[in-house]
Amino acid sequence: MFAVVPDPIPARMKGLNRAEICDANFQQFVREWAGPRGAAPAHDEPVLAGSALDAQGFRELFESQLISRHLDLMARVLRVQNKVFYTIGSSGHEGNAMIARATRHTDPAFLHYRSGGFMAERFRKLPGMDPVMDAALSFAASADDPASGGRHKVWGSKPLWVLPQTSTIASHLPKALGTAMAIEHARRIGQPLPVPDDSLVVCSFGDASSNHATAQTAFNAAAWASYQGLQAPVLFVCEDNGIGISVRTPAGWIARNFAQRAGLDYFAADGLDLAAGFGDVERAVEHCRRSRRPTFLHLRTTRLMGHAGTDFEIEWRALEELCAVEASDPLLRSAAIALESGLLSADGILTLYEATRARCFAAADVADRRPRLSSLAEIIAPLAPYSLDAVRAEATRCVDADARAAAFGGEARLPEQQPPRHLAIQLNQALHDLLLKYPEALLFGEDVAQKGGVYTVTKGLQAAFGGRRVFNTLLDETMILGMAQGYANMGLLPLPEIQYLAYFHNACDQIRGEAASLQFFSNGQYRNPMVVRIASLGYQRGFGGHFHNDNSITALRDIPGLVIGCPSRGDDAAMMLRTLMALAKVDGRVCALLEPIALYMTKDLYPGDGAWLTAYPPPDQALTPGEPRVYDDAASDLLILTFGNGVPMSLRAAREIQAEHGWSVRVVDLRWLLPLNEAAIARHARECARILVVDEGRRSAGVGEGILTAIVEAGLGATPLRRVVGADTYTPLAGAALLVIPGEDDIVDAARALAVT
């Protein structure tokens, strides 16, 4: 387009830094401009004939492009001096500044990492903000970075509604779509929004990322919603530079794949040419805002200076190809527009160019002298907030008694007035109470509505609260959790259900990489509270196989900041749900409730005794996170530490152990699996002569390892102990399933081994 490197290419050019070449190319191009020069247009006149962009708009977009470029150049120079810690740049993508100009600062944005131009332009939306200093602080990992507090180089801003992204490939697309759906959903249920009702959601990504399964999940769900007439005003912006690190995107692939996709309204714009591209960008934005439909904007870009500072393209890409890419630099086209229109002279452009460079380096110098995170306490401060008193008050807060009685059909029909019930019914009653207590709460997932879930836990809730608050989703766990994040972003309180624990693993990164990380990487400025209910664990009879008897808890316990509860009985489940909802409401926490499938309908501890039925706890009762349930706190001969299905098994085994050995047995139901209450574990271990850890999960990386670590680190490693745990295998079908997970006989056998220790 605007090649300035001579042909043939001198050998000396082959070893040059490509960032230096792009820098030199721009200056040479401007100095040697020999094209036409027009009379400068007025501010409100088109910058070029036929363009939808006026002169003032072009001037500001050009300045935003220059800011983005010089931040990249600054980062390349200062990285080698250890003053900057991130070199994935935006060079070649500066045209995304047009998206920022055409949208509002109240349109939530989930951005591609090459969004320097977008950010520089969006900063214009609010006075008194400095995109250069904010970016410099982020590049320098300064604790004063207003986006993440120095935890990562992210494009983010609370005032500008840019939610910080640290995504794995394309993992932000489901939550962006969820946020768009939440804007419309909140309006339908009469809940206030933190953004204007006609807001849209911007979601940008690269052409290579568009192929990722998580991206395809979002596109499919957007089309699914559109097909049913559900409004979802998301603007998917595919910034197509034709390459992903070193893998080329086939020419024409993005247009072929998306231009005719049902449910996605396709637009294309030239991101390399502000004058030509802006009108198409405006049309896409206006269509999305007006129609409230998912919209796909295919933005032509290029990639300069490699994927990152460590990507030496000359080692794997032909020099002629590199020079052709550098000749398509969008800043060359913007300089040509400025010169051709007469808006700026060559000297004026070069003065602006160098002034922007100086501004970026000056900001980087200031940022380098600002403090960085220097302690573990500073680093983790926003990860897992816990306001003990406020959470307790919220968990035990009750709605108006008359309104509650009316919702349940009268005082006599209140659940606490009913006979003891099993776990599934008490969960159902607790969910009824919580949907009544929190009008912003939504319960959704596969089969949760009319059917009431596979195990009838949500039966009757849609009839009681309506289809706008209790509803079925498409069969896609990634999108269920993406929707949950979107609803939470818009001030709602989601209760998503994952039908089986095994299905969570398909979508784990929506919690690990996205939901649970948001408070951390936004320095506590953004939060997406939710309580994820998951039918879990093994021992389900007559319904076998590893998908329905999954005891793999490790993937959840590895997620920083996540709270995991696992009740073994109905009253605990109800109180635990109240606490988890309070944690979400007060502290914005992401929580998971693992509901043992095999205990849903369990009535008896021993045949016919009804001992596993519990009374419903009144709504002013809740649990303290980490608080265990202790059976026989005075017993000291043997301690059994367990959870979930292990609790009734251990209680039955305890009777046999007492009869055989004469030991008093203390059984502790931990109830909370993350974080583990290590102090309570140590306290009980210290008071007992022997220890058994009963863990229905797998031997490797299970809950039991955490329990043993707590015991040893408390200095109690000399206490005789054994672990009863599942095997490192998938669960087989039918009765064979019980051979790979612990049973009561295994607990009794372990006690016998302790007796001879």
Side-chain angles (χ1 to χ4, degrees):
M1 186 186 295
F2 296 104
V4 293
V5 176
D7 189 25
I9 300 163
R12 65 182 176 81
M13 297 290 288
K14 296 183 179 181
L16 291 181
N17 181 300
R18 307 315 297 183
E20 293 176 356
I21 289 175
C22 290
D23 189 14
N25 275 353
F26 182 84
Q27 296 175 72
Q28 181 181 347
F29 177 82
V30 173
R31 282 195 302 269
E32 297 180 359
W33 173 259
R37 297 175 187 266
H43 290 329
D44 58 352
E45 293 179 344
V47 65
L48 291 179
S51 175
L53 183 62
D54 62 30
Q56 179 66 26
F58 169 81
R59 170 68 184 249
E60 292 179 352
L61 284 169
F62 186 31
E63 290 174 355
S64 294
Q65 288 184 310
L66 293 177
I67 287 171
S68 179
R69 176 61 55 85
H70 277 298
L71 287 171
D72 285 358
L73 295 173
M74 173 272 292
R76 298 300 178 95
V77 171
L78 296 185
R79 176 66 192 96
V80 296
Q81 300 176 32
N82 214 33
K83 295 182 177 181
V84 158
F85 303 94
Y86 193 86
T87 56
I88 295 181
S90 304
S91 296
H93 285 246
E94 292 90 352
N96 57 36
M98 293 187 288
I99 313 296
R101 188 168 191 86
T103 55
R104 306 169 184 163
H105 79 276
T106 50
D107 291 330
F110 301 83
L111 299 180
H112 189 35
Y113 44 62
R114 304 194 192 279
S115 296
F118 181 102
M119 289 300 297
E121 185 64 23
R122 182 164 272 205
F123 267 76
R124 297 182 188 279
K125 305 286 186 177
L126 289 178
M129 299 187 69
D130 183 356
V132 174
M133 181 53 71
D134 276 21
L137 290 166
S138 189
F139 275 111
S142 169
D144 294 333
D145 164 27
S148 77
R151 288 167 184 82
H152 204 286
K153 162 63 189 72
V154 293
W155 297 118
S157 171
K158 178 67 172 177
L160 297 175
W161 268 100
V162 179
L163 289 81
Q165 287 304 118
T166 60
S167 300
T168 52
I169 296 172
S171 60
H172 60 299
L173 273 70
K175 67 180 182 182
L177 173 59
T179 303
M181 296 176 74
I183 290 172
E184 298 303 310
H185 203 133
R187 224 169 21 85
R188 290 198 299 274
I189 65 173
Q191 288 298 312
L193 281 165
V195 296
D197 286 359
D198 66 343
S199 296
L200 58 81
V201 174
V202 178
C203 179
S204 61
F205 50 91
D207 50 292
S209 296
S210 73
N211 300 297
H212 197 276
T214 311
Q216 293 297 322
T217 278
F219 301 141
N220 177 73
W224 179 86
S226 181
Y227 181 76
Q228 298 178 91
L230 299 174
Q231 296 183 326
V234 59
L235 181 69
F236 289 122
V237 182
C238 181
E239 299 184 16
D240 184 0
N241 62 26
I243 197 165
I245 304 184
S246 68
V247 180
R248 290 170 175 80
T249 297
W253 168 245
I254 297 300
R256 174 65 65 87
N257 196 16
F258 291 98
Q260 302 300 322
R261 186 173 290 203
L264 287 181
D265 299 341
Y266 177 88
F267 291 77
D270 189 350
L272 301 178
D273 188 324
L274 298 181
F278 187 69
D280 292 323
V281 168
E282 277 195 315
R283 280 187 283 276
V285 170
E286 172 58 24
H287 171 82
C288 184
R289 194 179 305 282
R290 175 181 47 79
S291 70
R292 318 305 287 165
R293 286 173 54 85
T295 304
F296 189 97
L297 175 57
H298 182 190
L299 190 70
R300 180 188 176 208
T301 63
T302 192
R303 191 187 75 190
L304 304 174
M305 309 182 199
H307 174 70
T310 54
D311 179 19
F312 300 104
E313 288 183 296
I314 195 68
E315 296 178 354
W316 57 270
R317 203 171 184 182
L319 184 57
E320 292 79 4
E321 182 184 355
L322 281 177
C323 291
V325 168
E326 289 158 359
S328 68
D329 185 345
L331 264 63
L332 301 183
R333 175 58 185 153
S334 292
I337 294 169
L339 292 164
E340 182 181 341
S341 68
L343 188 63
L344 290 169
S345 66
D347 285 345
I349 291 174
L350 293 175
T351 297
L352 178 61
Y353 189 76
E354 292 304 327
T356 306
R357 187 199 307 273
R359 181 183 172 191
C360 290
F361 273 90
D365 183 61
V366 171
D368 182 52
R369 289 183 274 111
R370 296 280 186 89
R372 294 189 172 96
L373 296 172
S374 58
S375 71
L376 177 61
E378 282 184 282
I379 293 168
I380 66 173
L383 175 64
Y386 178 35
S387 308
L388 174 61
D389 292 339
V391 168
R392 182 182 292 123
E394 178 62 27
T396 57
R397 177 177 64 85
C398 300
V399 300
D400 177 76
D402 291 339
R404 181 170 178 263
F408 277 97
E411 185 80 26
R413 301 192 66 178
L414 288 172
E416 60 267 32
Q417 303 297 331
Q418 306 306 309
R421 306 286 192 182
H422 55 61
L423 174 64
I425 290 179
Q426 303 300 40
L427 277 168
N428 178 277
Q429 303 281 31
L431 289 168
H432 197 121
D433 256 332
L434 290 169
L435 287 167
L436 181 65
K437 180 176 180 177
Y438 297 108
E440 71 273 29
L442 305 173
L443 191 153
F444 53 92
E446 300 160 16
D447 301 305
V448 301
Q450 297 93 335
K451 181 178 175 61
V454 173
Y455 300 98
T456 69
V457 174
T458 60
K459 184 178 180 180
L461 294 178
Q462 187 185 60
F465 294 96
R468 292 178 175 177
R469 295 192 59 203
V470 179
F471 53 92
N472 291 329
T473 64
L474 72 175
L475 200 156
D476 183 340
E477 286 74 24
T478 297
M479 198 58 231
I480 290 170
L481 296 176
M483 288 170 60
Q485 293 174 79
Y487 286 131
N489 288 333
M490 291 295 101
L492 300 171
L493 195 54
L495 270 161
E497 178 183 291
I498 301 298
Q499 198 167 86
Y500 288 101
L501 178 59
Y503 301 168
F504 168 77
H505 303 308
N506 298 328
C508 179
D509 195 52
Q510 288 300 305
I511 300 298
R512 183 199 64 81
E514 298 296 335
S517 72
L518 181 60
Q519 291 202 81
F520 181 78
F521 285 117
S522 70
N523 199 18
Q525 298 176 91
Y526 281 106
R527 41 185 269 173
N528 44 22
M530 68 182 73
V531 178
V532 185
R533 294 178 42 254
I534 309 176
S536 306
L537 308 176
Y539 303 96
Q540 187 180 186
R541 296 179 183 272
F543 199 138
H546 65 288
F547 287 122
H548 304 104
N549 275 305
D550 188 354
N551 61 343
S552 178
I553 306 170
T554 304
L556 280 155
R557 291 192 68 246
D558 184 54
I559 299 174
L562 183 66
V563 178
I564 305 174
C566 183
S568 65
R569 42 189 276 177
D571 52 355
D572 284 356
M575 293 187 290
M576 189 174 282
L577 258 179
R578 293 166 189 161
T579 299
L580 293 174
M581 289 291 276
L583 281 165
K585 179 72 174 178
V586 173
D587 287 325
R589 299 295 292 274
V590 180
C591 307
L593 185 72
L594 304 186
E595 302 171 4
I597 299 170
L599 297 178
Y600 272 147
M601 312 297 180
T602 297
K603 300 177 181 179
D604 303 331
L605 184 59
Y606 293 96
D609 68 356
W612 219 243
L613 301 174
T614 62
Y616 185 79
D620 61 352
Q621 296 181 16
L623 296 182
T624 300
E627 176 187 2
R629 178 180 286 278
V630 182
Y631 297 86
D632 197 354
D633 199 22
S636 59
D637 293 321
L638 175 65
L639 169 66
I640 301 179
L641 294 159
T642 188
F643 63 92
N645 293 288
V647 177
M649 287 196 308
S650 295
L651 289 171
R652 287 190 290 267
R655 178 183 287 188
E656 189 171 341
I657 292 166
Q658 288 167 341
E660 183 173 334
H661 301 286
W663 293 346
S664 61
V665 181
R666 182 186 310 187
V667 176
V668 174
D669 179 358
L670 294 171
R671 298 194 290 200
W672 304 90
L673 306 186
L674 188 69
L676 281 174
N677 188 339
E678 296 179 351
I681 291 170
R683 194 267 285 183
H684 290 290
R686 193 172 288 113
E687 294 174 356
C688 295
R690 304 165 189 84
I691 304 169
L692 270 181
V693 175
V694 178
D695 175 7
E696 62 185 285
R698 296 175 187 168
R699 174 170 295 276
S700 298
V703 177
E705 289 187 355
I707 298 170
L708 291 177
T709 300
I711 292 169
V712 172
E713 289 185 346
L716 301 168
T719 304
L721 61 87
R722 287 285 186 277
R723 179 164 57 126
V724 181
V725 67
D728 284 338
T729 181
Y730 298 101
T731 305
L733 196 61
L738 300 178
L739 300 176
V740 304
I741 50 180
E744 293 166 34
D745 290 344
D746 299 309
I747 301 171
V748 173
D749 287 344
R752 291 186 183 122
L754 283 173
V756 298
T757 299

